[in-house]
Each structure stands twice: as C-alpha cells, then as structure tokens.
C-alpha cells in the first residue's frame, strides 16, 4: 500500500508493506495518525518507508527547507514517532535505504531492499537528480549517469522483495507528464529480479504487471497480472518473473479510491536459530 487513507478493511496478514507518503505534507500529528491507522491492521509486522511528501523524515531536505514556524527539531520529533513506543506497539518498523531480513511468525524469512528516494520533481523530499543513480554501483550504471549509490540494490538472489517509493521506468508509471519512472531503478530491478517489487508515487499507475525476465525484451516482457479483487498468489519461480505492483491508494485527483493489495509469496524457511 502507498499513500494516505484506506477505504476498505483488510484481511489478516503476516506482513504489511507501506510504500511511502504516510502524510500529505508532513507534520508530527499526521505521522501519529498514520501509525494509528497501521495499528488497526491485523498483522504482526508492518514495514514502512517514507515518500517525497514526508518532509521532516528527510533530514537533509528539512534542514534547507524550513518555513516560518518550522523547527530543526521537527525532524527528531518525526523520527521519534516513527521509531518510538507508538510505532513499536503498532508493530511498525520504519526502514530507510538498504537491506533488512525478518523472521516471520509463520517460520518464513523475508529479505527486503527498501529506498524512499525518487527523481527530483518540484523540490520535494528524498530526491535525486535525473543524471544520478542511487541504485547501481558505477560498473552497473547507464551511459551518462553518475552513481551516487550508498546502498545499491543487490544482485539476484539476495532479496525476496524490493519496496521503493517510486516506480521503475515504463512500469505502472504513466501520468500526464509521460512515463515518470526511473530508468536507473529499472536497471537495478533487472539485476535483482525480486519476487515482488512494490511502489507507489505515481497515482495514475495503480495496478499490477508480471515481468518475465526470460523473454527477448531487454527489460523483460510485461503482462497484466491475474488479478481478482486485488489478491494475487505467486505461481512463478523466483528469478524467472517478478510481480510489480503500484500500490497507490489515492487516484490521479488524490481521492483514496484504490484498495490495498493482498499477495501470497513463497518465501524461504528461516533457520531454527535465526532471529529478526
């Protein structure tokens, strides 16, 4: 799920993934409301990243964009909400850019790469320039692009799920400005080939597609996923295909008209002595 309020109840789940934009424009009270909404969902673990609208959570951005009435300490307050007692009691784990692994209560292990960053647009938070690549090492970048990756996406086999705020280029990213996704993120996803890549940001792109990495297409053949009431069960082999979901709740006019997605994935079993 990505973005703002829900308009339907959710079934019980092992994990909830929130792809960013917890708020419309930041604000401590808004982060608290987002945590309380997540607390209402029947899942032990809720993994959350920021989006470009979650202004205070991007410390570098916040320091240089203070308006009248804003305080530097607002960043610390927002982080306390996202990582403090309210979040812990709700089962919320706030993730920044990088790789994490979790042992789930059902005995499975979930490895996930997350990043809140998107290409710069209208001076919002968590932005990088269009000639910069946050997701690939220098040897993997496209021509004319400079790698600034501090936490590059791993190669295939290291993560089951990728969760970013924005979409890759050409996949569920079409809007009034054209295809607004990131080509460097597409390059990274082509390397990583996760079971699932979920994102949001481009509200008009809400939907799901299945990418077949074995096709002759340079970045995989894309077909609409078999969708029934936004519920999908994995019926493919990890590495051969990836399920791509634009989980935006809000539509093109910022109305929360889209339901969250329910996805069943086949994850590896955690080792008996493995802890989160």
């Amino acid at each position: 799920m990505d973005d703002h309020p829900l308009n339907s109840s959710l079934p019980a789940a092992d994990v909830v993934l929130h792809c960013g934009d917890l708020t419309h424009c930041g604000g401590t009270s808004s982060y608290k409301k987002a945590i309380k909404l997540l607390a209402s969902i029947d899942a032990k673990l809720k993994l959350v990243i920021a989006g470009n609208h979650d202004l205070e959570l991007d410390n570098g951005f916040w320091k240089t964009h203070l308006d009248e009435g804003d305080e530097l300490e607002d960043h610390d307050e927002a982080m306390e909400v996202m990582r403090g007692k309210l979040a812990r009691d709700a089962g919320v784990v706030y993730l920044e850019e990088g790789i994490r692994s979790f042992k789930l209560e059902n005995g499975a292990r979930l490895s996930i790469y997350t990043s809140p960053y998107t290409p710069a647009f209208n001076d919002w938070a968590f932005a990088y320039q269009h000639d910069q690549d946050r997701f690939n090492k220098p040897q993997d970048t496209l021509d004319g692009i400079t790698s600034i990756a501090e936490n590059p996406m791993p190669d295939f086999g290291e993560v089951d799920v990728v969760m970013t705020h924005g979409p890759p280029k050409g996949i569920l990213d079409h809007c009034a400005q054209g295809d607004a996704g990131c080509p460097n993120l597409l390059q990274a996803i082509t390397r990583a080939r996760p079971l699932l890549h979920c994102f949001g940001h481009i509200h008009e792109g809400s939907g799901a597609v299945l990418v077949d990495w074995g096709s002759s297409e340079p970045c995989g053949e894309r077909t609409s996923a078999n969708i029934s009431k936004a519920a999908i069960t994995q019926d493919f082999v990890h590495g051969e295909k990836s399920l791509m979901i634009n989980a935006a709740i809000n539509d093109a006019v910022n109305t929360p008209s889209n339901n969250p997605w329910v996805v069943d994935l086949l994850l590896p079993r955690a080792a008996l002595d493995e802890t989160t």
Side-chain angles (χ1 to χ4, degrees), residues 30-180:
S30 294
Y31 295 115
K32 290 179 179 179
K33 288 178 182 178
I35 296 296
K36 291 175 182 177
L37 182 150
L38 289 164
S40 70
I41 301 173
D42 187 3
K44 292 291 185 181
L45 180 63
K46 294 115 178 186
L47 304 180
V48 175
I49 62 173
N52 60 307
H53 284 260
D54 302 319
L55 306 182
E56 295 95 338
L57 296 179
D58 183 349
N59 194 27
F61 173 89
W62 188 247
K63 287 178 179 177
T64 59
H65 290 75
L66 294 177
D67 289 331
E68 184 177 354
D70 292 337
E71 302 289 345
L72 282 173
E73 294 76 15
D74 293 347
H75 166 73
D76 297 327
E77 290 183 9
M79 293 297 290
E80 173 59 26
V81 173
M82 297 308 302
R83 289 185 166 159
K85 186 177 185 301
L86 186 68
R88 292 194 299 272
D89 290 348
V92 170
V93 178
Y94 174 67
L95 299 174
E96 298 183 281
E97 189 176 67
I99 303 171
R100 287 284 301 275
S101 182
F102 298 89
K103 183 178 181 180
L104 307 183
E105 286 202 346
N106 64 10
R109 174 181 53 79
L110 169 65
S111 296
I112 184 169
Y113 173 88
T114 57
S115 178
Y117 292 93
T118 52
F121 178 74
N122 283 351
D123 199 25
W124 290 89
F126 294 103
Y128 53 87
Q129 298 305 310
H130 290 255
D131 61 353
Q132 295 176 329
D133 184 345
R134 289 200 66 92
F135 307 107
N136 298 286
K137 297 177 182 177
Q139 64 267 28
D140 296 319
T141 58
L142 299 170
D143 290 344
I145 301 298
T146 300
S147 174
I148 59 167
E150 299 175 3
N151 300 284
M153 194 179 298
D155 291 330
F156 169 68
E158 295 189 44
V159 292
D160 308 299
V161 173
V162 170
M163 178 167 61
T164 58
H165 182 52
K169 185 73 171 181
I171 298 180
L172 303 171
D173 68 333
H174 192 73
C175 63
Q177 290 75 32
D179 290 349

Side-chain angles (χ1 to χ4, degrees), residues 1-4 16-22 38 47-54 95 112 114-118 161-167 196-202 245-249 261:
M1 56 188 286
D2 160 88
D3 208 38
H4 322 305
V16 168
L17 303 177
H18 193 297
C19 304
D21 279 358
L22 295 147
L38 289 164
L47 304 180
V48 175
I49 62 173
N52 60 307
H53 284 260
D54 302 319
L95 299 174
I112 184 169
T114 57
S115 178
Y117 292 93
T118 52
V161 173
V162 170
M163 178 167 61
T164 58
H165 182 52
L196 168 68
H197 179 198
C198 56
F199 47 87
H201 188 46
I202 305 301
I245 294 181
N246 181 326
I249 298 296
W261 294 82

Side-chain angles (χ1 to χ4, degrees), residues 210-238:
L210 196 61
V211 175
D212 184 349
W213 301 115
S215 77
S216 59
E217 296 294 323
C219 294
E221 180 182 1
R222 300 156 200 180
T223 58
S224 296
N226 182 19
I227 301 168
S228 175
K229 295 183 180 179
I232 303 176
T233 298
Q234 176 193 338
D235 60 356
F236 53 88
V237 176
H238 190 185

